[in-house]
Amino acid sequence: MPHRPIDLHTHSSVSDGTETPAELVAAAVSADLAVVALTDHDSTAGWAEATRAVAGTGLTLVPGMEMSTRLGMNSVHMLAYLFDPEDAALVAETARLRDSRLHRAERIVERIAADYDVSWADVLAQSTPGATLGRPHIADALVAAGLAPDRSAAFAGILHWRSGYYEPHEAPSPIDAIRLIRAAGGVPVIAHPATRGRDTNISARSFEQLVEAGLLGVEVRHRENTEAGAERLLELAARHDLITTGSSDYHGTGKPNRLGENSTDPEQLARIVDAATGWRPVEG
Ligand code: AMP
Ligand code: FE
Ligand code: FE
Ligand code: ZN
């Protein structure tokens, strides 16, 4: 019998998922997951609610985060597991990231509002107070205004980086993020690093630098990784003895990704738990 899925990448309404942390936990129980990691963008604000919600469910929670970083023109996402959520340097950096995202989103909306009937208030109406704001919330406002049929269409159109409305937000380098996560006792795993074929996203040279900086794992099985890219990731992981994971990147109704559609092997999760010194999994 196959293992019940271990899904190490999900989002709640603390960032750009559509369900509260408690609703996400309930969905993970319904999907019969053994383990779920809550990995909201640049925020640990959902940890407490998710921790309360798993009590008595039999589901194990791995508290985490997906940190936004940038390498040149590329947005690179760094998953972080089981770090100390009160680590001062990490708290300061994620606060800076959320603030930069907020002002960047306001500027994007200002430009869109010059051409379309949508306002900043419409975007705020699509998010919970304090949530890490991003293009998904702007997408929801565009959908609510009838300017796009769904998030994906909004991303393919008005929110596309070539649309003329786009701008990036500030972000640390992946190397700095890895160092911050390790210093907080966490386990950095690079998220969906092979979405553009075999040799793009991250060069072999950059990859080596990330490993030298303390990268511990790679998300191999993710619906946006290409098959050839996932093969290359397995080679790199074998060469550097990295942890390999598989995950859904669930966003509730915000994306088609379904809980448990990819899973992480129990031995790989054990390596994450063993490497972490900042926090422990929460057994529900
Ligand atoms: P941002 O970080 O604000 O630039 O927005 C990127 C976020 O939007 C990522 O976290 C993705 O989860 C989400 N996203 C990217 N493309 C799409 C899409 N086609 N449909 C829905 N969400 C998307
Ligand atoms: Fe997201
Ligand atoms: Fe991501
Ligand atoms: Zn994600």
Side-chain angles (χ1 to χ4, degrees):
M1 208 185 98
H3 293 284
R4 287 156 69 220
I6 296 174
D7 191 339
L8 296 185
H9 185 166
T10 73
H11 297 267
S12 77
S13 53
V14 161
S15 63
D16 56 356
T18 56
E19 295 165 348
T20 64
E23 288 166 349
L24 170 63
V25 163
V29 171
S30 297
D32 200 27
L33 299 189
V35 181
V36 69
L38 176 66
T39 55
D40 277 308
H41 297 284
D42 310 313
S43 177
T44 60
W47 285 23
E49 182 181 325
T51 295
R52 285 192 297 274
V54 292
T57 62
L59 174 71
T60 295
L61 171 72
V62 173
M65 176 168 75
E66 184 177 21
M67 201 167 166
S68 310
T69 80
R70 187 133 41 90
L71 188 62
M73 291 289 284
N74 283 339
S75 167
V76 173
H77 287 177
M78 195 62 65
L79 291 160
Y81 298 110
L82 302 172
F83 53 90
D84 174 4
E86 291 179 8
D87 178 85
L90 200 54
V91 165
E93 185 60 9
T94 50
R96 182 183 83 98
L97 267 165
R98 290 194 304 274
D99 188 64
S100 163
R101 282 176 155 285
L102 175 68
H103 294 108
R104 167 256 198 173
E106 277 182 297
R107 288 190 296 270
I108 291 177
V109 172
E110 222 169 85
R111 284 194 285 276
I112 296 173
D115 293 338
Y116 297 94
D117 194 9
V118 68
S119 71
W120 182 239
D122 297 335
V123 175
L124 289 181
Q126 298 298 327
S127 66
T128 46
T132 305
L133 277 183
R135 282 182 291 162
H137 304 98
I138 305 175
D140 290 346
L142 293 171
V143 172
L147 294 166
D150 56 28
R151 270 192 190 180
S152 295
F155 268 88
I158 296 174
L159 292 174
H160 195 274
W161 63 271
R162 275 185 305 220
S163 67
Y165 305 111
Y166 179 80
E167 71 174 66
H169 58 77
E170 283 170 42
S173 74
I175 287 181
D176 287 345
I178 287 166
R179 291 190 178 133
L180 278 167
I181 293 161
R182 291 297 298 273
V187 181
V189 173
I190 188 166
H192 45 73
T195 57
R196 291 180 221 158
R198 191 170 167 82
D199 339 273
T200 40
N201 290 42
I202 298 182
S203 68
R205 177 80 198 101
S206 303
F207 198 87
E208 311 259 312
Q209 288 173 346
L210 300 189
V211 172
E212 272 162 40
L215 180 70
L216 292 178
V218 283
E219 189 180 52
V220 174
R221 290 180 303 284
H222 181 288
R223 67 156 66 202
E224 286 166 42
N225 281 341
T226 65
E227 222 170 282
E231 261 171 51
R232 173 175 174 241
L233 290 175
L234 285 176
E235 290 162 18
L236 288 167
R239 189 176 318 144
H240 299 288
D241 194 29
L242 296 172
I243 298 163
T244 57
T245 68
S247 306
S248 67
D249 204 354
Y250 178 73
H251 282 68
T253 58
K255 277 191 164 186
N257 311 31
R258 293 299 92 195
L259 284 169
E261 67 177 31
N262 285 298
S263 177
T264 296
D265 296 336
E267 316 81 69
Q268 299 297 319
L269 173 59
R271 291 179 71 187
I272 292 175
V273 174
D274 285 348
T277 58
W279 209 254
R280 306 304 296 166
V282 183
E283 317 232 342

